[in-house]
Amino acid sequence: MQWILFMLLLFINSMEMLLQNRRKKQASAGLFENCTGCVMCSEDNGCIACQQRLFLLIWRDGIRQYGACVHACPPGYFGLRGQEVNRCTKCRSPSCESCFSKDFCMKCKEKFYLHKGKCFSACPPNTTAQPSTRECQEMCEMGPWSEWSPCSNEGRTCGCKWGSKTRTREVVRSTKEEVLTCPALLESRKCRMRKHCPGEKPGTIKKTKREKKQKKQKADSLACT
């Protein structure tokens, strides 16, 4: 009787081991189906290295890590090409659907708006939401700045120590109400001028100043008589 029980237990254990091995083989076969394009593939972790031009996508499931080779990275990732391996790198912002780099988003997920590479739940001040594109558009769209003007002082471009130069820009697109909130259209800054004008001798400036002073003194004396 004991011998029969022993044989029965041995048979049950053998069947359990056979079923476990079968499940493992089925899981391995299913995993290797995803090894298309792999140069190296692991039974436990999937792709480790990919063929040229493909991207290695790695994700976690609990404590385990899996890899697959893809032609294009999925939403929330961007392709980063390297000398040894091309990787799908995750966008830093969880509200970003596609990004150019880790910190520069190109398209946001639903309920978020894109503005200067970032995703916002509400558009920043001086911008308005565009539902069709899910982007924040500047209320005043400004044109580029012009080149700085020559450094001058009261119309003169030389002969003084300090002067100023300016640059301008135009409003490309705006409504009448928004013009009042547009940024500055004119900028100026201090600049250093050439002390001596071309062809002018250093002593000429001193002489001119002395002559002006003498004329002023003469005019004052005449006014007193």
Side-chain angles (χ1 to χ4, degrees):
M1 187 67 180
Q2 292 180 353
W3 176 255
I4 295 173
L5 289 173
F6 175 75
M7 292 298 293
L8 184 60
L9 290 171
L10 184 63
F11 176 75
I12 292 171
N13 288 333
S14 299
M15 290 299 294
E16 287 181 355
M17 291 180 65
L18 182 63
L19 288 171
Q20 287 178 1
N21 289 332
R22 185 175 294 177
R23 291 194 197 100
K24 188 175 181 181
K25 287 181 179 179
Q26 288 175 351
S28 298
L31 184 60
F32 273 103
E33 288 178 2
N34 296 326
C35 286
T36 306
C38 294
V39 176
M40 295 177 62
C41 198
S42 165
E43 290 187 18
D44 297 322
N45 302 108
C47 292
I48 300 173
C50 299
Q51 294 178 5
Q52 197 174 10
R53 295 184 180 178
L54 297 181
F55 293 94
L56 177 61
L57 173 64
I58 297 175
W59 72 96
R60 289 188 178 275
D61 184 7
I63 61 172
R64 297 191 63 181
Q65 180 175 285
Y66 299 93
C69 295
V70 295
H71 289 277
C73 296
Y77 291 80
F78 71 98
L80 184 64
R81 296 193 179 274
Q83 294 181 351
E84 298 181 359
V85 62
N86 302 326
R87 293 183 180 274
C88 287
T89 304
K90 198 169 186 179
C91 304
R92 189 183 296 275
S93 173
S95 55
C96 182
E97 185 173 319
S98 64
C99 52
F100 176 75
S101 63
K102 186 176 288 188
D103 296 306
F104 193 93
C105 190
M106 295 190 298
K107 185 180 179 181
C108 299
K109 294 180 180 178
E110 271 189 72
K111 298 182 181 179
F112 291 93
Y113 294 90
L114 180 67
H115 182 61
K116 295 183 178 180
K118 305 289 183 183
C119 294
F120 298 89
S121 57
C123 287
N126 296 325
T127 63
T128 180
Q130 300 294 316
S132 58
T133 59
R134 303 210 61 80
E135 295 182 1
C136 298
Q137 184 179 345
E138 298 284 346
M139 295 175 68
C140 289
E141 187 176 344
M142 308 299 295
W145 285 106
S146 65
E147 296 293 330
W148 286 101
S149 66
C151 189
S152 63
N153 187 333
E154 295 182 357
R156 292 174 58 89
T157 58
C158 59
C160 299
K161 188 174 182 180
W162 295 101
S164 63
K165 53 184 177 180
T166 60
R167 65 176 183 176
T168 60
R169 61 178 176 178
E170 296 180 353
V171 178
V172 177
R173 183 174 57 191
S174 177
T175 64
K176 291 181 179 179
E177 293 80 8
E178 292 167 351
V179 170
L180 297 174
T181 62
C182 287
L185 302 178
L186 175 69
E187 277 189 354
S188 62
R189 65 183 184 187
K190 195 176 180 181
C191 57
R192 195 177 186 89
M193 296 174 58
R194 288 181 297 176
K195 191 174 181 180
H196 305 299
C197 294
E200 186 180 53
K201 295 181 180 180
T204 307
I205 299 174
K206 293 181 180 179
K207 185 178 179 181
T208 304
K209 288 182 178 179
R210 188 167 56 252
E211 288 176 350
K212 287 183 178 179
K213 187 177 180 181
Q214 289 175 351
K215 286 181 180 180
K216 186 181 178 182
Q217 289 175 347
K218 187 176 181 180
D220 292 343
S221 64
L222 290 172
C224 295
T225 57

